[in-house]
Amino acid sequence: MRALVVCGIVCFAAGLAVAGLPGLRDFLPQLLAGAVVTIEITIGGCAVAVAAALVAAMAKMYGPAPLRWLAVAYIELFRGTSALVQLFWLFYVLPHFGVLLEPMTVGIVALGLNVGAYGAEVVRGAVNAVPRGQWEATVALNMTRAQALRRVILPQAFVAMIPPWGNLFIELLKATALVSLITISDLAFRAQQLNQITFETVKIFTIVLLIYLAISSVITVGMRALEERAARGIGRGRA
Amino acid sequence: MTESPAPETSQPMVRFERVTKRYGSLVVLDELDLDIARNEKVAIIGPSGSGKTTVLRMLMTLEKIDGGVIHVDGEPLTHMERNGQLVRANESHLRRMRGKIGMVFQHFNLFPHMTSLGNCIEAPMRVLGLSRREAEDRARELLEMVGLRDKMGHYPSQMSGGQQQRVAIARALAMRPKVMLFDEVTSALDPELVGEVLNVIRRLGEEHDLTMLMVTHQMGFAREFADRVCFFYEGKIAEQGAPAELLGNPKEERTRQFLSAVLEAS
Ligand SMILES: Nc1ncnc2c1ncn2[C@@H]1O[C@H](COP(=O)(O)OP(=O)(O)OP(=O)(O)O)[C@@H](O)[C@H]1O
Ligand SMILES: [Mg+2]
């Protein structure tokens, strides 16, 4: 709820800034168009990150040896190198191997895989934090490991995963600024472009700052709400 | 009451044959031999660390076996015969064998994100392939039997320990096991809740064809309920026999010491 208040203040401040700065209406549409791209990449990237993290964590923990190795390689590779290099690699190097991807696709996949590598460890930690007795109960009930994971372990791990995932989503949002380096007109790119034309540096970058803050506030509030719902679903917080 | 000796043709329901379990250099079960007849109720007692829980966990396949063989219902539990040799069982054999056994844990281990009904229908639906209706009918009957008719929609966090443990018993029974394992199922409960759980177990024994193994510190319950009491000491059965005999007139000094220590504590 505190986040909600923060969000409100941010929007209010943003409104004030817009109203108080003459000439701003001229470049606000451009910035908002950039913001839409940024939001698209954030949403797509988050989806890729969650999927990659789940698959990698499950493979690393329960997969047969080759899959396990693949998962470890993925996690180490993407955690151990910079997101920018990963972006460049997918964008400039893959075409040499005949794989040509849309810039948007590259942005979403690269950032998603980057954050997914961290997310895999979040998933693993949350799964390991589920009490051993829960696993033992599934064995005593003759469930398969897949059934145990899907029906018993992951739903419980889910609650513990939400706050760290909130942080990762915000990391991803911030990293989207990198895609301006592979020809995508995101918020950061538009800002720079406008700045070069209008030299309204203070106004432009203040607005940009506020827009990023607004988006991350939405993520924070959303994840907080999700966490509350999930905690209720698990039978806690009811008593 | 003691059962008359089983005829030679009937196999024991559970047979431990020189079963050994080690953790590192610590020998927890030392070439244990133990036969349990069909429908027999066996109470396992003994000091902390004597291997009581380990016996149940090995039967539930929660622990690997380091030596010997366990037979359940005439078949090796964690081994299977191939070309006249015993080899380590594959997953499908293990799952078939696990289907014969149910276990109730000291700390209940209910699924916290499911209601008591949900806890009881999960495995019957997914493992046994029952329809939701069939599973719910079965679960309702069992929850009613354990006296929780009005708690079917409650989550574990909304119930007392005694109620949770009774749900756990119903959940295990819903899989229709032949052997039920109880590991100190009243130890985590407040004293006033012990009775309701023991009553359920008592009724189970009377109304169902079940082989029951229970680790317990409730000597009074063991005496009235069990057909046989096994006293464990350092991974072996130091003494066993009819409850009245073993609890009333133990032959071994170690048994006597243990029993008087338990008496003093309670
Ligand atoms: N996972 C494990 N790793 C190492 N040692 C273990 C493990 N589990 C059990 N042990 C040891 O094995 C021995 C037997 O344990 P077990 O749990 O069977 O005892 P118990 O008779 O049930 O005792 P209690 O009355 O305290 O429950 C103990 O010494 C215990 O410390
Ligand atoms: Mg024990």
Side-chain angles (χ1 to χ4, degrees):
Chain A
M1 283 313 98
R2 213 177 326 147
L4 209 66
V5 174
V6 170
C7 189
I9 292 171
V10 167
C11 294
F12 184 60
L16 262 190
V18 173
L21 297 170
L24 212 66
R25 279 179 202 81
D26 301 336
F27 47 74
L28 197 65
Q30 295 230 41
L31 289 182
L32 287 181
V36 168
V37 172
T38 293
I39 290 170
E40 278 170 5
I41 294 175
T42 303
I43 292 174
C46 288
V48 171
V50 170
L54 272 175
V55 170
M58 292 302 114
K60 182 173 173 180
M61 296 175 85
Y62 307 112
L67 268 184
R68 206 159 59 228
W69 276 100
L70 214 62
V72 170
Y74 156 64
I75 293 169
E76 296 310 323
L77 182 70
F78 276 80
R79 285 203 311 178
T81 59
S82 93
L84 184 63
V85 175
Q86 291 158 20
L87 209 57
F88 280 176
W89 206 89
L90 288 186
F91 193 66
Y92 295 118
V93 180
L94 272 192
H96 287 285
F97 298 99
V99 185
L100 246 168
L101 299 171
E102 291 285 310
M104 275 298 270
T105 310
V106 170
I108 287 172
V109 169
L111 295 180
L113 289 180
N114 179 270
V115 170
Y118 294 92
E121 296 300 295
V122 166
V123 172
R124 205 164 71 94
V127 166
N128 282 336
V130 175
R132 215 164 51 120
Q134 293 290 309
W135 278 109
E136 294 179 350
T138 67
V139 173
L141 290 168
N142 211 2
M143 295 167 79
T144 63
R145 196 154 64 182
Q147 289 169 336
L149 270 171
R150 204 169 59 240
R151 300 287 307 170
V152 176
I153 305 300
L154 284 176
Q156 291 180 62
F158 183 66
V159 185
M161 275 186 231
I162 296 171
W165 269 115
N167 290 335
L168 287 177
F169 289 164
I170 289 172
E171 287 300 322
L172 196 146
L173 165 68
K174 292 190 285 188
T176 55
L178 295 174
V179 301
S180 57
L181 297 166
I182 57 165
T183 75
I184 297 177
S185 302
D186 75 318
L187 182 55
F189 179 84
R190 297 272 188 175
Q192 249 171 319
Q193 209 179 27
L194 278 173
N195 185 43
Q196 275 161 19
I197 299 166
T198 65
F199 298 106
E200 297 272 22
T201 310
V202 174
K203 289 180 194 168
I204 291 171
F205 284 105
T206 305
I207 297 293
V208 166
L209 201 80
L210 290 173
I211 294 178
Y212 275 116
L213 190 56
I215 301 174
S216 70
S217 301
V218 169
I219 294 176
T220 304
V221 172
M223 295 303 276
R224 193 76 50 87
L226 191 63
E227 190 187 355
E228 263 166 43
R229 268 195 59 173
R232 261 205 314 279
I234 209 167
R236 292 188 203 129
R238 275 195 200 197
Chain B
M1 67 159 215
T2 28
E3 282 192 328
S4 53
E8 280 182 8
T9 47
S10 85
Q11 309 158 311
M13 189 68 200
V14 173
R15 160 167 279 180
F16 280 70
E17 239 178 74
R18 296 191 319 284
V19 170
T20 298
K21 176 68 192 172
R22 292 183 212 95
Y23 290 111
S25 61
L26 177 72
V27 179
V28 179
L29 294 183
D30 186 9
E31 305 214 327
L32 177 73
D33 285 310
L34 174 63
D35 277 11
I36 295 160
R38 260 162 229 280
N39 290 340
E40 196 181 10
K41 322 297 182 215
V42 174
I44 296 174
I45 62 171
S48 181
S50 56
K52 308 181 296 292
T53 296
T54 305
V55 167
L56 300 193
R57 291 175 59 84
M58 309 250 329
L59 252 176
M60 196 64 257
T61 69
L62 290 170
E63 300 288 346
K64 282 216 184 75
I65 190 165
D66 294 318
V69 187
I70 301 173
H71 292 266
V72 173
D73 208 7
E75 280 183 274
L77 177 70
T78 55
H79 296 75
M80 46 195 230
E81 273 173 59
R82 183 169 290 157
N83 309 327
Q85 280 201 320
L86 277 189
V87 297
R88 206 160 271 290
N90 58 21
E91 189 62 22
S92 85
H93 177 90
L94 277 179
R95 294 199 66 218
R96 195 164 56 75
M97 296 305 288
R98 271 186 212 128
K100 301 172 191 277
I101 305 166
M103 182 160 181
V104 183
F105 300 88
Q106 184 174 352
H107 296 287
F108 330 136
N109 298 355
L110 289 179
F111 304 139
H113 57 305
M114 298 180 191
T115 62
S116 37
L117 191 71
N119 266 278
C120 293
I121 63 172
E122 183 63 26
M125 281 172 65
R126 295 186 194 264
V127 177
L128 305 180
L130 263 55
S131 72
R132 176 172 289 272
R133 241 194 92 127
E134 291 168 318
E136 283 185 353
D137 286 347
R138 185 184 284 192
R140 267 197 210 97
E141 197 176 304
L142 287 166
L143 285 169
E144 211 164 306
M145 187 199 77
V146 300
L148 293 174
R149 182 207 189 98
D150 54 336
K151 300 282 182 205
M152 303 212 192
H154 285 54
Y155 286 86
S157 61
Q158 300 169 310
M159 289 184 283
S160 73
Q163 290 168 338
Q164 290 185 57
Q165 194 58 294
R166 286 183 279 150
V167 173
I169 292 172
R171 178 176 74 171
L173 288 173
M175 298 300 283
R176 303 254 164 101
K178 296 181 173 182
V179 182
M180 278 284 279
L181 312 175
F182 298 87
D183 187 12
E184 293 197 37
V185 295
T186 58
S187 293
L189 301 179
D190 291 339
E192 73 270 20
L193 301 178
V194 169
E196 65 189 50
V197 172
L198 292 183
N199 280 336
V200 164
I201 296 175
R202 193 176 289 124
R203 274 193 57 197
L204 264 186
E206 286 161 4
E207 295 171 15
H208 293 253
D209 280 346
L210 272 174
T211 305
M212 295 165 77
L213 262 88
M214 68 185 68
V215 175
T216 185
H217 291 299
Q218 304 282 329
M219 296 305 155
F221 184 71
R223 182 187 285 253
E224 92 181 87
F225 181 75
D227 301 314
R228 176 159 49 128
V229 177
C230 296
F231 172 66
F232 272 69
Y233 194 86
E234 291 181 355
K236 284 181 185 265
I237 298 178
E239 186 173 355
Q240 60 179 318
E245 189 121 332
L246 187 133
L247 299 173
N249 184 22
K251 293 187 186 63
E252 295 273 332
E253 180 56 30
R254 288 173 295 194
T255 319
R256 262 195 293 271
Q257 273 174 8
F258 172 74
L259 288 174
S260 64
V262 170
L263 258 174
E264 249 168 63
S266 60

